[in-house]
Amino acid sequence: MCIRDSTYTAGGQGHTLDVVLKAQVQDIHAIEVAQEVASLCGDALGAAWREHRSHHEMWRSHMREAALYAMEDPALRAHTPELYGARPGLLLLEDVTGFPMLNSLDAHRPWQPSHLEAAIGGLARIHASSYGHARPPGDESWWAPPRTGDALVAQRPLLDALVGFALTRPFGRWLGEPGQERVLGLLEDLPRWARASDPHPHAMIHNDFNPRNLAFRPGGTLCAFDWELARRGLPQRDLAELLCFTLGDDATPQELDGWMELHRSQLSERAGQEIDAATWRDGFSLALADLMVTRLPMYAMLDYVHPQPFLEEVVRAWARLDLSLIHI
């Protein structure tokens, strides 16, 4: 929950700033709400959620965002709202409500190539700070449990229940029969591709990188907020989610290749590391698989209790991207 207040006096200097006061939800409460929603979707999904809730990425989420905003990392500071103050459960943040493209998904404002270029450039800068590091930045106590291939395989019963539920909803119709077969194949092949992700270089990722959590400063610089789900992962995961939410029906495989190459080349330059293009595409494919089996079915779960108007376009975009990788 955010409360807008434009009367905050900065540092006792007598001038005011536009700010928002964000009340953070405790991780346990967020997980309990998710448990209730899962139970409403059916006994099987509710039971699977309950069994695997201790591995949910919302654990420590209320600690994570505050810690990230407080980090003295130039990339984060350039591409996140400014933190003016914090108390347990409360963040006093720069007000971004007037920034261009804020909540563009809900307002049905399509993204232009210039928006994607700016977002991918900012994303590459954020990823570069931790790319290939063995540990996430900062105190590990506030990070989500590591998502290794083995950890994901251990959650197979929950993923089966999530995907199984999603495919019975309009979600399945949006995928079409070939798309449904592809998703079921990803579940069947989960041990292989989940463990194949482990050797790829990881970075700190936003993990909810879509237009619902993005805006641009008046000069065009990316500003990303709501970092509660941030974790270590494939940097391609943020790109895959962004493209699913922003690419139009007329996007071509060549355009996808161009956006992947832009992310790869900018990350390579900023991190000072050579990144093989073919290996990078493999990582993108793995990230796209992860997005489908771990996150998008959760939107289907939410859609069951409260309509998510954007979901159909996102699911169809995922199917187009997955198919496009075959032709690149």
Side-chain angles (χ1 to χ4, degrees):
M1 179 181 69
C2 291
I3 302 172
R4 190 173 187 274
D5 182 0
S6 60
T7 62
Y8 173 66
T9 301
Q13 300 301 311
H15 60 277
T16 60
L17 298 168
D18 288 333
V19 299
V20 292
L21 183 64
K22 180 174 182 178
Q24 297 189 292
V25 178
Q26 287 281 327
D27 55 1
I28 185 63
H29 299 315
I31 292 170
E32 287 290 349
V33 169
Q35 176 69 68
E36 289 298 320
V37 173
S39 297
L40 289 172
C41 294
D43 293 342
L45 183 52
W49 195 280
R50 189 174 298 107
E51 180 183 353
H52 293 275
R53 58 182 287 163
S54 61
H55 301 288
H56 196 278
E57 55 195 358
M58 282 300 294
W59 286 113
R60 308 171 190 157
S61 58
H62 63 291
M63 303 165 59
R64 200 174 311 144
E65 185 173 37
L68 282 168
Y69 283 147
M71 286 174 60
E72 295 182 4
D73 181 306
L76 282 173
R77 298 290 62 76
H79 297 292
T80 58
E82 187 168 350
L83 176 68
Y84 296 122
R87 295 288 186 273
L90 294 172
L91 296 177
L92 191 64
L93 296 167
E94 175 186 9
D95 181 11
V96 302
T97 54
F99 284 6
M101 299 304 287
L102 179 76
N103 292 331
S104 56
L105 193 66
D106 295 332
H108 304 290
R109 285 174 287 170
W111 275 41
Q112 302 302 318
S114 60
H115 296 129
L116 274 171
E117 289 175 9
I120 291 172
L123 194 58
R125 185 178 180 189
I126 292 169
H127 290 158
S129 298
S130 57
Y131 182 69
H133 294 186
R135 293 185 173 187
D139 178 0
E140 291 188 41
S141 67
W142 44 265
W143 282 96
R147 181 186 282 176
T148 62
D150 286 344
L152 200 58
V153 170
Q155 295 181 53
R156 174 70 184 271
L158 173 59
L159 302 179
D160 282 342
L162 271 171
V163 171
F165 171 78
L167 294 182
T168 67
R169 306 294 302 158
F171 191 105
R173 185 177 72 250
W174 300 331
L175 279 171
E177 187 172 338
Q180 291 185 46
E181 291 178 1
R182 169 64 173 159
V183 173
L184 291 172
L186 287 175
L187 274 179
E188 188 66 28
D189 199 28
L190 177 68
R192 181 198 62 78
W193 63 257
R195 293 181 175 120
S197 300
D198 290 344
H200 284 255
H202 286 48
M204 183 189 75
I205 64 173
H206 184 283
N207 198 34
D208 201 14
F209 198 77
N210 63 68
R212 300 164 70 241
N213 298 322
L214 306 175
F216 297 90
R217 297 185 182 280
T221 303
L222 170 74
C223 183
F225 46 92
D226 287 355
W227 287 77
E228 291 95 339
L229 295 181
R231 63 175 177 86
R232 286 190 72 248
L234 294 175
Q236 296 95 322
R237 171 65 168 71
D238 281 339
L239 178 65
E241 182 166 7
L242 176 67
L243 294 179
C244 281
F245 275 80
T246 57
L247 285 187
D249 291 340
D250 56 350
T252 66
Q254 291 73 28
E255 286 179 85
L256 171 60
D257 192 37
W259 296 125
M260 282 196 296
E261 174 58 22
L262 179 64
H263 190 201
R264 183 199 68 81
S265 61
Q266 292 204 10
L267 177 56
S268 177
E269 179 181 351
R270 291 188 176 278
Q273 301 181 38
E274 287 294 328
I275 302 175
D276 178 70
T279 303
W280 184 257
R281 290 188 182 94
D282 288 343
F284 184 88
S285 181
L286 294 169
L288 205 60
D290 178 90
L291 179 67
M292 171 49 72
V293 303
T294 66
R295 178 62 57 80
L296 295 187
M298 291 181 64
Y299 282 116
M301 192 173 76
L302 293 174
D303 187 65
Y304 180 73
V305 297
H306 183 73
Q308 308 291 306
F310 59 83
L311 185 56
E312 179 176 359
E313 292 184 13
V314 173
V315 172
R316 293 187 186 279
W318 182 91
R320 290 196 304 274
L321 290 177
D322 186 66
L323 180 62
S324 294
L325 287 173
I326 300 173
H327 302 292
I328 291 175

